[in-house]
Structures are given as structure tokens and as C-alpha cells.
Amino acid sequence: MTSGERTDFWSEHVTSCQGLMDYRYPPTDDFHAGTIRQRTDTYQLVTFWSDTIRYARTAGQVRRDPDEDYRFLLPVAGELVLRQEDQEVRLTPKAGCLVTFAAPFELLQDASMRALIMSIPAREVNGRLNRSSPLVAGLDLASGLGRVVGDMLTGLHEERDTLTGGRFDAVSDRLVELLCMLAAGDNRPTAPGHLTEVEAVVRQYIREHAADPDMTGATIAQALGWSLRQVQLALHHAGTTPRDLIREERLRLVRDRLRAPVYRHLTITELAYASGFSSASALSTAFRRRFGVCPREMRHAGPRPVGNTRRS
């Protein structure tokens, strides 16, 4: 394969993974690149490396190929330079960035660069951050919560051969939750720290008790020793409500159980009751609205993420 054929292949391959973009390659007699891809119906994680290249997504490409989802970029080696909305962020290892494909951008990388890029549905970010606009910010992943997020992302890549689709999604859900907490802390300085702590504890409680059919905002507040107003205010700052968060965690619980062989003996109705829903019809309606398929269709879907290695 000639260098020109390799660059053509790389352009087509990246477009198929990420969306419509332009590519600018330096004059060279040789070009090498590769990817390792993990994917489910909800998330995608790509590890990529290549020689020097410039990527650009233009306003026309945004219109022709709409994509509201976010990408979380984390270099493992080398440097990335991202420009979007009159902002520039230089990313090196231990510094990540959350960026949308719904607005034009320019991304430049050097020849020694190796990075992770995770595709995250917009609904997973906009609700938690109460926004629907580009977010370009350098996130410190060297310590604290940032280090936890970075370790989870690299762990997803390293354990790709051992994770089922359900476990890949489950870890990705938690990673995105923590990532949004990290981004909110960096971009909402006026939010009281106490409310952020309340939000984290409430989310943890709801996750652990999602199957309880009697759980409400009032019962959560009582169990945690806070007022209902405190719980509501903390979740309001995160762009959600107790009711919405309870439904979201129950839907995630059902999704994970649909993919787990240990629950395959349960009917959809039994699974609905066992996961806190009042009926199978209530579950099916909410599930289709959230994931785009009915519970039965997801149960019969493939259980593992797609993992591919591509080189050019």
C-alpha cells in the first residue's frame, strides 16, 4: 500500500468512526497510523496513534453530518492542540478535554501522539451540566477526581478483552458521571461545594436502591438525614430532579440486567417489577424513549462491545 493509499484509508476509517471531517497530511513519502476500537450501542472508545496530522470539522460538515454528541479526549503520549469557539487548549498526558462535534473545530497532533477518544451521547452530558453548547476546557487528570477519571478511561482500554458489553457500558456510565462532576467543578464556580457533595451522595444512594419501588425524593431525604429541599436543590444544580434520576438509574439497572446471563430466566414483566417499575408497559415506554429500542430487542442484542484494531 502506497503512502497516498494509506492516507486515503485513514481518512475513510476515521470518518466512519467519528464523523465527517477534513484531513491535512504533511508532505511525506510515508504515513503510519492505527486504532483500537471498543463500541456498544451507547459508547465508543478509540485508542489512536498516527504521524503528524491536522483534523478539521467545518460549519458545512456540521450541517451535513449533524452530531450532537461529545468526545472526551485524553492524550497518553505527545500533545494535542484543540481550537473551538475562539478557544485553544493544549493537551498533554494527564490533561483531558470534553468537546462537542456539534460545532466546528480544529485538532492538531504531533507525530509522537497517542490518545484515547471516548464518544459520549449528548443526553449524558447536557442534563448533568445543564448546557447544550460547546465545552472546551482543559481538565486536570493528574490528581483527585481527575486522576480517578483518567484511570477509569485507561482501564477501559486495557481491559477491553475481558469486559462484556454490559460491563463496558456500566463502567462508562460511572466514568461519565464523574467526568461531568469534574467538568462542573471547573466550569460552575458559583455552585456551592456543599450541594455538589449532596448530589454525589444522593446519586450513590439512588444507584444502590434503584430497585426499591417505593423510593421517592422524600424517602431519599429521610434516609440520608437531609431535607427534601436540600436534595431537590442539589439535583437542580446538576440539571435533574429526584424523579428523573430515579427513573434513569432504574433504566440503567434494567439495561445491565438484560445483558447479564444470570437474569435471562426472568421475563420482561418480572424484570420490570424487580427493577422498581410499576409495570412492564411503564418500563417499555421509558426504555424505548431512553435507549431507542424495547427491552426485548436489547436482550437479544450482542453481549460484547466491538473491538477492532486498524492500521494504515
Side-chain angles (χ1 to χ4, degrees):
M1 184 182 292
T2 67
S3 180
E5 290 173 331
R6 284 196 292 270
T7 55
D8 288 344
F9 172 83
W10 185 250
S11 298
E12 293 175 2
H13 175 57
V14 175
T15 295
S16 70
C17 292
Q18 302 294 347
L20 195 59
M21 288 187 288
D22 286 337
Y23 306 85
R24 181 178 297 171
Y25 301 91
T28 179
D29 294 331
D30 207 359
F31 178 81
H32 294 90
T35 63
I36 298 174
R37 187 183 188 190
Q38 298 161 258
R39 180 181 57 177
T40 65
D41 292 337
T42 307
Y43 296 103
Q44 174 179 268
L45 177 60
V46 176
T47 303
F48 68 100
W49 61 93
S50 78
D51 294 332
T52 301
I53 188 172
R54 170 189 171 273
Y55 302 93
R57 184 164 164 85
T58 67
Q61 290 168 337
V62 170
R63 290 191 298 270
R64 295 198 305 274
D65 180 31
D67 185 346
E68 298 294 327
D69 294 342
Y70 291 84
R71 271 45 167 204
F72 178 41
L73 276 167
L74 174 60
V76 177
E79 181 182 75
L80 287 170
V81 178
L82 176 66
R83 298 174 183 144
Q84 186 176 53
E85 296 287 302
D86 299 321
Q87 299 181 65
E88 180 177 293
V89 179
R90 290 184 174 271
L91 301 174
T92 56
K94 303 299 181 183
C97 182
L98 190 62
V99 60
T100 180
F101 265 44
F105 66 81
E106 184 180 35
L107 182 67
L108 301 91
Q109 66 162 76
D110 59 28
S112 61
M113 198 283 315
R114 184 182 183 96
L116 299 166
I117 179 168
M118 185 177 198
S119 301
I120 305 172
R123 62 178 178 268
E124 302 290 346
V125 175
N126 293 341
R128 291 187 172 108
L129 295 184
N130 196 24
R131 64 182 296 136
S132 56
S133 60
L135 178 64
V136 178
L139 300 174
D140 182 7
L141 306 182
S143 62
L145 180 58
R147 181 176 178 182
V148 174
V149 171
D151 287 347
M152 289 180 70
L153 190 66
T154 55
L156 268 177
H157 165 69
E158 291 168 355
E159 298 300 323
R160 61 189 177 278
D161 294 329
T162 65
L163 294 174
T164 64
R167 290 178 178 176
F168 178 82
D169 278 343
V171 175
S172 297
D173 286 341
R174 304 308 169 231
L175 188 157
V176 172
E177 181 179 321
L178 295 176
L179 175 61
C180 288
M181 289 176 62
L182 181 65
D186 283 357
N187 293 281
R188 290 189 312 197
T190 58
H194 175 63
L195 291 181
T196 302
E197 296 170 5
V198 172
E199 175 200 346
V201 174
V202 170
R203 286 184 181 276
Q204 182 68 27
Y205 181 88
I206 292 176
R207 184 178 308 126
E208 293 175 352
H209 299 83
D212 179 1
D214 298 320
M215 183 167 54
T216 64
T219 63
I220 294 168
Q222 183 178 17
L224 296 176
W226 292 320
S227 69
L228 176 58
R229 179 59 182 161
Q230 279 180 295
V231 171
Q232 291 173 330
L233 186 59
L235 294 185
H236 175 73
H237 271 279
T240 188
T241 67
R243 181 178 180 180
D244 288 345
L245 192 55
I246 291 169
R247 181 178 62 248
E248 176 70 10
E249 287 299 333
R250 285 174 177 165
L251 289 171
R252 293 180 191 275
L253 179 62
V254 171
R255 183 196 63 190
D256 293 345
R257 288 178 169 178
L258 285 170
R259 292 171 167 173
V262 69
Y263 291 99
R264 192 162 291 276
H265 68 285
L266 294 180
T267 65
I268 299 300
T269 299
E270 291 170 335
L271 195 57
Y273 290 132
S275 304
F277 285 91
S278 59
S279 66
S281 61
L283 166 61
S284 295
T285 299
F287 198 90
R288 180 177 288 278
R289 185 180 300 120
R290 175 64 174 82
F291 297 113
V293 296
C294 70
R296 195 174 307 279
E297 290 171 329
M298 181 163 284
R299 168 168 274 177
H300 293 301
R304 295 189 61 86
V306 177
N308 293 323
T309 300
R310 294 289 183 93
R311 299 179 184 274
S312 67

